Amino acid sequence: SVFFLRFFNPAICSPERFSLMSKDVSAPQRKLLITVSKLLQSMTNNTTFSEDAGPSRAAYQIFNAWLKTQEDVMREFWSH
């Protein structure tokens, strides 16, 4: 999970800083990239989003059912 947190997530959230894109991403695009990053981090940590984590995190609860379906995928991923 530290690998995702320190290497993948920054590159996902700011691809132009890592020369993955030639121009800056727009604000709506960045918001979507941050959402993808949060989902990947949650998958990696094998966690879901809870209400008591604050209103910004509670908004992601709609993804909890999908995250549960991905547990075996991540377990398989980390086994290699």
Side-chain angles (χ1 to χ4, degrees):
S1 68
V2 172
F3 187 73
F4 267 77
L5 182 65
R6 297 292 179 215
F7 296 102
F8 279 115
N9 286 349
I12 291 169
C13 293
S14 301
E16 68 280 0
R17 290 179 59 203
F18 295 89
S19 300
L20 298 173
M21 293 186 68
S22 58
K23 59 182 182 176
D24 289 347
V25 297
S26 66
Q29 290 170 328
R30 187 165 320 279
K31 187 174 180 178
L32 180 60
L33 291 171
I34 289 169
T35 299
V36 169
S37 174
K38 287 181 180 184
L39 287 170
L40 287 173
Q41 188 64 47
S42 186
M43 284 174 59
T44 302
N45 293 337
N46 196 26
T47 60
T48 56
F49 299 99
S50 64
E51 273 185 40
D52 51 332
S56 63
R57 301 279 293 183
Y60 291 95
Q61 285 183 316
I62 60 171
F63 297 110
N64 283 345
W66 180 79
L67 287 169
K68 285 289 187 187
T69 67
Q70 301 305 306
E71 288 175 352
D72 291 337
V73 173
M74 288 308 291
R75 202 174 353 262
E76 177 72 18
F77 176 80
W78 289 115
S79 71
H80 294 300

